[in-house]
Amino acid sequence: MDAFGDEEFAEVKYKTMNWWQCGILMVAETVSLGILSLPGAVAGIGMAPAVVILIGLGLMATYTGYVIGQFKWKYPQVCNMADAGEVMAGPIGREVLGVAQMLFLVFIMASHILTFSVALNTITEHGTCTIVFGVVGLVVSFICSLPRTLEKMSWLSLVCSAGPLLSKISYGIALPTVSSPAPYTTNSPASQLTAPQIVIAGVINGHVAFKLVYVRIFAGTDRMHKRDWVSVGSWIAIGLVLWIIAWIIAEAIPVFDNLLSLIVALFASWFTYGLSGIFWLYMNWGLYFSSWRKTVLMVLNVLIFGVGAALCGLGLYVSGKAIHDNTGSESFSCAA
């Protein structure tokens, strides 16, 4: 069942983007936080190992994305991870994966607020309290998230998605003294170039989070497509609450590397790798040994599930220890 229903005469139409507009949004979101942490990671492990890891994980992510697409084609009613959980495990699966996806998005929103604070600290040379910059990031992101569709955002994403990539040309990569988020270690054209993209990518994740809650509340009702005060007020209230929660997380874990590592360990490990393995195993239940090809794919997807589980377990340990051991930054502090 289509969560958005028939939109022929709707006031608010959600299904308005072309495939390439959706692709641009995905690129803008994907190349944001990850690419800002890349120089520091490469500097830490070395160029050669980093290239091998990037290629390996990239190929694996390409395959897992294909599997997720297969799952969507087989179960067209699936619009989010909560729906996928319901297909596989009923109401319990829906709630577990729904909560996990929501937390994932809110933590990403928090990372964008934190990165925005770091960027303004760098650009203004610590012009005011870091908490103030965080509040500014909250307000700007909240306002930009208010539209209920993403069609217009795709055009802005086209420009902004190039920011982090271009910044690497002027910033450099894999330097011994690199820290994250690059390029916000010095006030440079690179830092100014990528600042708008931080907001846009965060807004994309925020919009998806808003819509998950909004659809969950109003799916199947005429509120989905109306612009009355209940619909608009609910959308605004949902957005404000989620961005405030994200701001609290950003202030509670004010170190970019630590927060990003925690997000990857808790959520990205499963949404990128682990769950894809489960999807394949579910779709092919009872067919694992029907042919040599199925057997090979079964082994591959079990390994992918193992990779996701390992990234989660080891990542939680490392990020938790880093947060515990870090004494250089205090929660809810004006210090840069």
Side-chain angles (χ1 to χ4, degrees):
M1 179 180 178
D2 187 349
F4 299 103
D6 184 6
E7 297 187 340
E8 184 178 358
F9 302 106
E11 292 181 60
V12 179
K13 296 183 179 181
Y14 298 97
K15 297 177 288 186
T16 56
M17 288 196 299
N18 296 313
W19 67 267
W20 60 267
Q21 291 174 308
C22 181
I24 290 171
L25 287 171
M26 294 178 68
V27 169
E29 184 274 331
T30 301
V31 301
S32 55
L33 295 180
I35 203 168
L36 293 179
S37 65
L38 183 60
V42 173
I45 65 176
M47 177 63 78
V51 170
V52 173
I53 292 172
L54 282 172
I55 293 175
L57 292 180
L59 291 174
M60 192 182 301
T62 301
Y63 172 72
T64 58
Y66 172 71
V67 172
I68 292 173
Q70 287 182 313
F71 193 89
K72 169 64 178 178
W73 277 110
K74 187 168 184 177
Y75 306 102
Q77 74 273 23
V78 172
C79 292
N80 49 55
M81 285 297 178
D83 293 340
E86 186 173 31
V87 168
M88 296 187 295
I92 295 177
R94 177 181 181 84
E95 299 305 325
V96 170
L97 289 191
V99 170
Q101 185 176 16
M102 178 57 63
L103 289 174
F104 185 28
L105 292 168
V106 172
F107 268 77
I108 292 177
M109 292 159 63
S111 286
H112 282 279
I113 290 179
L114 176 58
T115 310
F116 185 86
S117 300
V118 175
L120 287 191
N121 257 323
T122 302
I123 293 171
T124 65
E125 298 181 350
H126 312 294
T128 188
C129 176
T130 302
I131 294 178
V132 174
F133 288 141
V135 172
V136 172
L138 183 158
V139 173
V140 172
S141 299
F142 168 67
I143 292 174
C144 292
S145 302
L146 288 179
R148 284 162 65 183
T149 64
L150 280 172
E151 182 182 14
K152 301 296 187 296
M153 190 65 65
S154 63
W155 293 102
L156 193 55
S157 298
L158 179 62
V159 177
C160 292
S161 61
L165 297 174
L166 294 175
S167 72
K168 296 300 169 284
I169 298 174
S170 59
Y171 181 76
I173 191 169
L175 298 176
T177 57
V178 169
S179 61
S180 295
Y184 302 119
T185 53
T186 59
N187 187 5
S188 65
S191 61
Q192 298 167 17
L193 180 66
T194 57
Q197 201 275 340
I198 298 171
V199 175
I200 300 304
V203 165
I204 294 170
N205 285 281
H207 180 96
V208 175
F210 297 6
K211 195 164 287 181
L212 282 176
V213 178
Y214 192 84
V215 171
R216 182 65 183 271
I217 296 173
F218 294 113
T221 72
D222 59 356
R223 298 292 181 197
M224 281 291 300
H225 303 285
K226 285 188 174 294
R227 287 197 176 96
D228 58 21
W229 69 271
V230 174
S231 302
V232 175
S234 298
W235 180 266
I236 293 173
I238 291 168
L240 183 60
V241 169
L242 290 180
W243 276 114
I244 289 175
I245 294 173
W247 175 80
I248 292 172
I249 295 172
E251 294 297 331
I253 310 176
V255 180
F256 176 81
D257 281 342
N258 294 346
L259 180 55
L260 193 61
S261 297
L262 182 63
I263 293 170
V264 171
L266 271 175
F267 306 112
S269 58
W270 292 108
F271 288 131
T272 306
Y273 300 112
L275 281 176
S276 175
I278 296 175
F279 289 165
W280 190 93
L281 293 171
Y282 179 83
M283 288 188 294
N284 293 276
W285 181 264
L287 302 174
Y288 301 159
F289 303 102
S290 60
S291 68
W292 69 267
R293 183 175 179 274
K294 285 288 186 183
T295 302
V296 170
L297 288 174
M298 182 269 291
V299 173
L300 174 62
N301 281 276
V302 169
L303 289 175
I304 289 174
F305 171 81
V307 169
L311 287 174
C312 179
L314 296 175
L316 280 177
Y317 171 77
V318 172
S319 59
K321 188 175 187 302
I323 293 172
H324 177 269
D325 294 344
N326 181 69
T327 57
S329 299
E330 297 181 358
S331 301
F332 298 95
S333 170
C334 277

